[in-house]
Amino acid sequence: MRGLVFDIAHLLAGSLVLISFVMLYQDRLYALLNVFAVHALVLAMSVTWQAYVQNAPHLYVTAAIALIFKALIIPVGLHRIIRQLGIHRDIETAVGIGPTMLAGMGLVALSLMLMLRVTAEADPLAREDIAFALSIVLLGLLMMVTRRNAVSQVVGFMSLENGLILAATAAKGMPLVVEISVAFSVLIAFIVIGVFLFRIRERFDSVDDSALDDYRGERQ
Amino acid sequence: MTASFINPVAAVLIIPATAAVLLVLMPGYRLTARLNVLASLMTFAAALTLFVTERPTPGTYVLIDDLNIVFIALNTFVGFTASLFSASYIGHELESGRLTPVYLRFYHAMYQIMMFGMNLAFVSNNIGLMWVAVEVATLTTVLMVGIYRTHEALEAAWKYFILGSVGIALALFGTILVYMTARPVIGEGSDAMVWTVLVTRAVAFDPALLNVAFVFLLLGYGTKVGLAPLHAWLPDAHAEGPTPISAVLSGLLLNVALYVLLRFKILMTANPAALAPGPLMVLMGLASLIFAAFMLYRRRDIKRLFAYSSIEHMGIIVFAFGMGGPLANFAGLLHMVMHSLTKSAIFYAVGHVAQIKGTQRIADIRGLTESHPALGWGLVIGVAAIAGLPPFGIFMSEFLVVSSTFAREPLLAVPLAFGLLIAFGALLLRLTGVAFGKPLGSTAPVAASYVPLYAHLALVLMAGIYLPPPLVAWFRHIAILLG
């Protein structure tokens, strides 16, 4: 039984890392959103499994937030925003897909080497989950720096945040996990509303943030 | 009996929270501006009673000790004077049509929520709660930075948002790692996130994991402090938001993040086997100082200029705390208080200047001491103080930082003194243009509120000439506590 518990948790956390990789090379916004929805769904399953294994009913709330808010509401909302903005064509990648994937592999290797070494004494389940979680966080960061489109940056941030939730649930018995996931949901809701408002006010011609860099107040 | 010592702690949280609700409901900007001032004054008064009342025993969520009382008192004081300045500032913004009454209602409510978040971060004893509080304070400032809804303001808010969120995320990962380190020693549950418990048991923590946690915390909260190379959000956020918010950002929000970093630094030093946090902080502080000092020369926007000066000073403060030891810690604390007071005073002056002249471009502002003597000289005094001229308090704290560094690490003192001199030159260069010469632009009289500006400057001057012995004793005690 112990073996099965470990294997399932391992499978789910590992899939999250894989899906993060899948997100890295999506060059269309709709596809990216669909993959993100799967990411959130797997997170919800992983959290549910942790809630069951740790016998921690409050984690079911976190799982429900991941499922309803991040796997359904946010992707659907972003779909609508993308359609209204008319930017459902290609994603501009600042860096090519090949180098991005290589960098991603390097980051995963780095986080596994770092976390497995420093957590040698922790229990194996938490140890592997925290290493995977760091990989997901770093892949999310990588996505944020390689994308120039504001919507895909938001998606990158949300995948990063999924990694944090994974870490928080893996740290057995951590208090405030539900509160933190609620706080993050509020933050994300604000970001999404922000993207939407930018456009509503028609202040920007596009949500490509390379346009944002034009103004620095210094170039006269 | 119980109520007598719980009250002030509860008050610094409940007053801003209640005021925020009231401010959303109440119409009329004159009324709400006054209520904002009143609520801030009451919070300040409540914070002062913390000094005299009996302190609550550190619980799961609340901690009051010598360190955070100073931060809370400073926070609520500058919060109060900034609300006074804000009341006179926004009247003009309404007339010029940059803000509408609806946005103003929102602005005042956000102001109080921000005060609530900052005070919560200070009093919390739980590292998870601390994180949530810092996030609340950051979110409200993001909204206020974008309140003018111009292209530039939205860009600044977006940049602040994305960088701030990344900082928040890294800080949370660090927090989770701290919990993971503590769990085998303290056991599962909320105790393993209580700062006072963590510090007493830190000796038994696994040092390797604690090191990794600290690096994440330093990067995460360091983004909020505005340390180079994570400072990119700071100049934009200062330049494009309403000036009262620039004052509060520089004077207070940076301190909140700094305070959280200090708490974790104490935790690190409690475990002798762990990495010493000092050298990392010294390095980041020095990098911020020198980088910002050079950037000061190229500024064309007056609020941006002082934003870079904030990066410079946060660098000095982090450097001082990184050096550690009673003298450097004392200097760092004093410098932090002086910087908060001086920088917010400068922003009070700059806010009115930008309103009169209708521009923030340094080249378009000339001869202020001639056209608006009270405002112009206030700015001159403020800049002289921030540049580190005697007899102001910043001279004294900078002198202490440099001399204590010379005594212990002469090699580090050279780049430190170099950075200070570069920044000094840049500030005085810009100041002479803005303050003296033939007046340029509008010379219309201004309905400015001089009280907050000169009150801060008087305090800074007083601190430079004479520090009251009880204050010195208090700071000395904290300096030893900080290790």
Side-chain angles (χ1 to χ4, degrees):
Chain A
M1 190 60 204
R2 172 73 207 165
L4 186 66
V5 164
F6 179 81
D7 286 346
I8 291 181
H10 201 215
L11 173 73
L12 290 170
S15 327
L16 275 174
V17 178
L18 266 184
I19 298 169
S20 281
F21 266 110
V22 175
M23 274 200 273
L24 271 185
Y25 67 77
Q26 295 305 319
D27 56 1
R28 277 164 199 278
L29 281 176
Y30 281 163
L32 182 65
L33 282 181
N34 294 342
V35 178
F36 172 73
V38 177
H39 201 267
L41 181 70
V42 175
L43 176 76
M45 283 158 63
S46 169
V47 175
T48 313
W49 184 247
Q50 292 283 358
Y52 171 70
V53 170
Q54 296 178 16
N55 198 11
H58 63 277
L59 287 185
Y60 288 118
V61 180
T62 305
I65 291 173
L67 182 66
I68 296 168
F69 187 71
K70 282 192 288 199
L72 290 173
I73 297 179
I74 290 287
V76 170
L78 281 176
H79 249 276
R80 290 196 51 180
I81 290 174
I82 290 170
R83 199 166 49 236
Q84 287 187 2
L85 301 184
I87 50 164
H88 42 274
R89 286 177 297 276
D90 283 350
I91 298 173
E92 265 183 276
T93 36
V95 185
I97 286 171
T100 313
M101 295 300 278
L102 281 178
M105 281 183 234
L107 288 175
V108 173
L110 178 79
S111 67
L112 290 182
M113 270 161 55
L114 176 72
M115 294 315 296
L116 293 183
R117 185 167 300 172
V118 298
T119 55
E121 282 146 44
D123 84 285
L125 182 56
R127 189 175 166 220
E128 307 244 326
D129 269 2
I130 207 93
F132 281 137
L134 182 61
S135 310
I136 296 166
V137 168
L138 291 179
L139 288 176
L141 274 179
L142 179 68
M143 189 162 152
M144 288 179 78
V145 295
T146 53
R147 301 296 173 104
R148 312 192 69 171
N149 181 301
V151 173
S152 43
Q153 281 191 337
V154 171
V155 174
F157 178 70
M158 289 191 294
S159 74
L160 183 161
E161 189 251 325
N162 284 352
L164 290 173
I165 299 290
L166 179 70
T169 50
K172 211 169 160 194
M174 181 165 142
L176 293 170
V177 174
V178 180
E179 287 81 351
I180 285 171
S181 58
V182 170
F184 256 127
S185 307
V186 172
L187 180 69
I188 287 174
F190 268 116
I191 299 185
V192 171
I193 292 167
V195 172
F196 195 56
L197 281 184
F198 279 179
R199 184 56 190 191
I200 285 286
R201 297 276 153 184
E202 297 195 329
R203 296 293 183 191
F204 294 130
D205 294 322
S206 81
V207 278
D208 184 339
D209 75 352
S210 62
L212 301 187
D213 291 335
D214 291 346
Y215 181 84
R216 280 274 163 81
E218 315 296 348
R219 297 173 205 153
Q220 305 285 331
Chain B
M1 178 65 198
T2 322
S4 69
F5 61 77
I6 284 183
N7 273 341
V9 183
V12 295
L13 299 176
I14 291 173
I15 296 171
T18 325
V21 176
L22 284 177
L23 286 167
V24 169
L25 298 175
M26 283 184 3
Y29 96 89
R30 273 174 216 287
L31 191 63
T32 49
R34 273 187 202 137
L35 182 64
N36 192 31
V37 172
L38 182 70
S40 306
L41 178 63
M42 279 164 65
T43 318
F44 176 51
L48 283 185
T49 59
L50 280 173
F51 282 101
V52 289
T53 49
E54 198 184 334
R55 291 174 198 172
T57 42
T60 321
Y61 294 108
V62 174
L63 165 73
I64 297 292
D65 64 2
D66 286 346
L67 177 62
N68 62 10
I69 286 189
V70 173
F71 276 87
I72 297 168
L74 179 69
N75 192 47
T76 48
F77 174 68
V78 179
F80 163 58
T81 55
S83 71
L84 271 179
F85 164 64
S86 155
S88 76
Y89 178 86
I90 52 163
H92 187 279
E93 297 298 282
L94 268 184
E95 281 166 29
S96 64
R98 288 183 82 190
L99 285 176
T100 61
V102 179
Y103 279 120
L104 216 56
R105 217 193 256 196
F106 168 80
Y107 164 86
H108 280 132
M110 282 296 150
Y111 190 93
Q112 290 299 328
I113 295 176
M114 176 189 69
M115 293 305 291
F116 167 79
M118 293 197 288
N119 287 340
L120 182 64
F122 286 135
V123 300
S124 85
N125 192 19
N126 182 305
I127 55 175
L129 187 64
M130 226 180 243
W131 178 85
V132 172
V134 173
E135 191 206 316
V136 168
T138 310
L139 258 187
T140 50
T141 44
V142 168
L143 292 173
M144 288 196 283
V145 164
I147 202 168
Y148 287 139
R149 314 204 138 262
T150 58
H151 181 103
E152 297 81 8
L154 288 178
E155 184 204 333
W158 178 255
K159 206 177 196 178
Y160 182 17
F161 213 159
I162 290 296
L163 272 170
S165 303
V166 172
I168 281 176
L170 293 179
L172 178 61
F173 197 78
T175 309
I176 295 171
L177 287 181
V178 171
Y179 170 77
M180 281 198 62
T181 339
R183 197 186 53 184
V185 181
I186 299 173
E188 277 175 34
S190 42
D191 265 3
M193 286 188 105
V194 175
W195 184 82
T196 40
V197 179
L198 289 174
V199 169
T200 49
R201 308 287 295 275
V203 186
F205 290 177
D206 175 26
L209 194 53
L210 197 60
N211 291 346
V212 178
F214 184 72
V215 171
F216 276 100
L217 290 165
L218 182 64
L219 287 176
Y221 288 117
T223 311
K224 292 281 156 61
V225 182
L227 293 178
L230 308 158
H231 65 280
W233 61 273
L234 196 146
D236 295 72
H238 279 68
E240 305 307 337
T243 314
I245 299 313
S246 316
V248 182
L249 267 178
S250 256
L252 304 179
L253 196 65
L254 304 184
N255 286 354
V256 176
L258 181 73
Y259 165 81
V260 178
L261 263 186
L262 285 181
R263 285 279 182 212
F264 284 109
K265 184 189 173 236
I266 298 176
L267 181 64
M268 287 295 285
T269 30
N271 185 334
L275 179 85
L280 279 177
M281 291 172 75
V282 164
L283 190 71
M284 285 184 91
L286 211 52
S288 312
L289 164 65
I290 292 176
F291 168 79
F294 278 106
M295 292 304 273
L296 281 173
Y297 283 93
R298 290 182 56 228
R299 296 311 97 187
R300 296 208 174 94
D301 180 304
I302 191 159
K303 280 166 81 177
R304 229 167 253 267
L305 174 78
F306 291 116
Y308 273 99
S309 153
S310 288
I311 300 178
E312 178 219 331
H313 284 278
M314 290 324 273
I316 300 172
I317 297 165
V318 170
F319 176 89
F321 285 129
M323 286 298 293
L327 192 57
N329 280 338
F330 181 90
L333 266 179
L334 186 65
H335 196 79
M336 187 201 77
V337 175
M338 291 300 119
H339 171 252
S340 289
L341 291 174
T342 318
K343 191 52 68 60
S344 39
I346 288 178
F347 274 115
Y348 299 160
V350 166
H352 286 307
V353 169
Q355 282 184 333
I356 309 162
K357 302 288 184 189
T359 175
Q360 290 176 198
R361 272 181 55 120
I362 294 177
D364 295 342
I365 306 171
R366 285 268 172 273
L368 271 179
T369 46
E370 237 172 81
S371 57
H372 302 86
L375 211 52
W377 283 110
L379 188 62
V380 170
I381 298 171
V383 176
I386 207 83
L389 279 178
F392 296 100
I394 288 193
F395 168 74
M396 196 162 81
S397 52
E398 281 183 356
F399 180 77
L400 279 175
V401 176
V402 174
S403 60
S404 67
T405 313
F406 256 118
R408 287 165 51 198
E409 300 282 344
L411 277 181
L412 279 176
V414 175
L416 175 72
F418 172 72
L420 286 174
L421 285 176
I422 299 282
F424 178 81
L427 283 170
L428 289 197
L429 191 74
R430 292 279 169 255
L431 175 71
T432 45
V434 168
F436 306 108
K438 228 180 169 50
L440 210 70
S442 160
T443 52
V446 54
S449 58
Y450 298 110
V451 179
L453 169 63
Y454 281 100
H456 279 204
L457 292 177
L459 280 175
V460 174
L461 180 64
M462 207 177 80
I465 297 168
Y466 171 72
L467 273 181
L471 190 74
V472 175
W474 190 290
F475 275 19
R476 217 174 250 163
H477 178 70
I478 303 174
I480 293 165
L481 195 82
L482 285 171

